[in-house]
Amino acid sequence: MSEASTSPERDRRGRREADAEELLACDDCMSPADAFSVVASETRLSILEALWRSEETPVRFSDLRREVGMRDSAQFNYHLGKLTDQFVVRTDEGYDLRHAGKAVVRAVLAGTFNESPDVEPFGVGDPCVACGAELRASYADETFAVACPDCGKPHGKYAFPPGGLNDRDETELLRAFDQRVRHLHCLAADGVCPECNGRMTTKIVEADDPDEAPLGLSVHVEHVCAQCRHRLRSSVGLSLLDQSDVVSFYRERGVDLSATPYWTLPWCVSDEYVEVLDRDPWALRVAIPEGDETLTVTLGPDLGIREAERGA
């Protein structure tokens, strides 16, 4: 094959990169370095936080200055002017946050830039799906993990902003982590990056060596953002938690799947229940047992359910 020839996958990748560059190419856009320098001021952060806290927006200049607690009107106007257009929008009625301004405040509240806490490992109260020992949860380096201390089987390890630890006991923290994991994979499966809202692609990956497979899974799902390159890996089962066939199957048996921690569902943390039917294109069969009945679903390469059957 000549150097000028390209594969379809390479063509698609090239188009995605070109699209991303086009989106980022903007004559009126502020460079990332300039954007960070603008908000690198305690006064400007105070202005953004004051707008965030305001129950009614837009906020008039005098009311906003009073809320920030700055007496010098000219100095306050200088800092507000630096934020206007990129982080704050000015209207006839006053000032309000733009999306970028809200993102900055959310990042501060989440502790993304200024917090780095650790949490001592604690018992989850649920058994490992592999050996039955009690699972333990841990938090370090802005990552929350649930794993078995006895056999070492991982039951999930994902980024969790430090702000999520605030005002939550262990039970509430586990619930928040469970919901966050579901949310991350729901967005990713729908093609939306949970980090930047860019286009996310989904593919099924089969490891050559099961012993060295990511997440300890020989077959797993990988979501990758074409814009920010954020990568999210998971078991095949996690993509099925909000599928109507699966939700109905559990509901008919008196189980609220949305309130059931995903790590207690063996088909969500193991590939033992996954069977590869075809690889070109991908076709998978997943067995979902509950009580004395099993729901068997067949998935296509997009992880959509093609068939669903129930049996003993």
Side-chain angles (χ1 to χ4, degrees):
M1 180 180 294
S2 67
E3 292 184 1
S5 300
T6 58
S7 67
E9 174 58 30
R10 189 177 302 172
D11 289 339
R12 287 193 294 272
R13 184 166 60 248
R15 287 196 297 271
R16 290 198 299 269
E17 292 174 350
D19 290 343
E21 290 176 359
E22 183 177 350
L23 285 172
L24 293 173
C26 172
D27 293 337
D28 298 326
C29 291
M30 182 181 291
S31 72
D34 289 341
F36 278 112
S37 68
V38 166
V39 295
S41 160
E42 185 174 347
T43 298
R44 294 171 197 172
L45 285 176
S46 296
I47 293 172
L48 295 178
E49 291 174 356
L51 286 170
W52 176 274
R53 290 192 304 268
S54 179
E55 295 182 359
E56 295 184 5
T57 54
V59 182
R60 293 183 302 174
F61 178 91
S62 57
D63 294 335
L64 185 57
R65 180 167 64 88
R66 187 182 309 112
E67 181 65 25
V68 173
M70 196 168 187
R71 295 183 178 180
D72 189 328
S73 178
Q75 188 71 5
F76 180 77
N77 186 58
Y78 167 78
H79 287 292
L80 182 58
K82 288 293 185 179
L83 293 170
T84 302
D85 293 334
Q86 188 67 23
F87 299 96
V88 171
V89 60
R90 180 180 181 180
T91 68
D92 293 339
E93 291 77 25
Y95 296 86
D96 200 356
L97 286 174
R98 295 179 65 90
H99 177 77
K102 294 177 182 178
V104 170
V105 178
R106 289 192 183 105
V108 171
L109 294 176
T112 302
F113 299 137
N114 61 332
E115 296 181 27
S116 184
D118 287 337
V119 174
E120 288 296 321
F122 60 91
V124 172
D126 296 312
C128 169
V129 299
C131 72
E134 184 186 5
L135 294 171
R136 290 185 71 78
S138 60
Y139 184 84
D141 298 326
E142 300 183 9
T143 300
F144 195 95
V146 175
C148 178
D150 285 13
C151 71
K153 178 174 176 55
H155 286 59
K157 182 177 182 180
Y158 298 96
F160 193 84
L165 305 176
N166 297 334
D167 300 321
R168 284 194 173 112
D169 59 24
E170 293 175 353
T171 300
E172 293 170 329
L173 184 54
L174 288 170
R175 174 65 175 166
F177 176 65
D178 178 48
Q179 292 302 311
R180 175 173 170 79
V181 171
R182 293 166 183 263
H183 174 68
L184 291 176
H185 289 89
C186 181
L187 278 176
D190 287 340
V192 180
C193 176
E195 291 293 322
C196 75
N197 293 324
R199 184 182 295 110
M200 210 154 200
T201 59
T202 298
K203 66 178 180 179
I204 298 168
V205 179
E206 187 174 22
D208 295 329
D209 185 353
D211 294 332
E212 298 182 3
L215 311 175
L217 304 171
S218 58
V219 178
H220 70 276
V221 177
E222 188 169 274
H223 309 282
V224 180
C225 178
Q227 181 165 275
C228 73
R229 304 305 180 193
H230 176 63
R231 187 183 305 270
L232 192 63
R233 294 188 177 101
S234 74
S235 68
V236 175
L238 272 178
S239 66
L240 304 176
L241 281 172
D242 64 343
Q243 292 282 356
S244 59
D245 291 292
V246 180
V247 173
S248 297
F249 176 69
Y250 273 87
R251 184 172 58 243
E252 291 168 8
R253 283 149 188 78
V255 178
D256 181 0
L257 197 57
S258 66
T260 304
Y262 79 84
W263 55 80
T264 65
L265 303 167
W267 50 274
C268 277
V269 293
S270 170
D271 58 4
E272 176 185 348
Y273 301 83
V274 179
E275 178 185 357
V276 177
L277 302 178
D278 203 346
R279 293 177 175 82
D280 188 20
W282 281 99
L284 304 175
R285 180 182 291 135
V286 182
I288 302 174
E290 174 58 26
D292 58 358
E293 193 171 4
T294 297
L295 174 67
T296 303
V297 296
T298 301
L299 311 178
D302 61 352
L303 299 180
I305 294 181
R306 304 298 171 82
E307 295 181 11
E309 298 180 352
R310 303 187 185 193

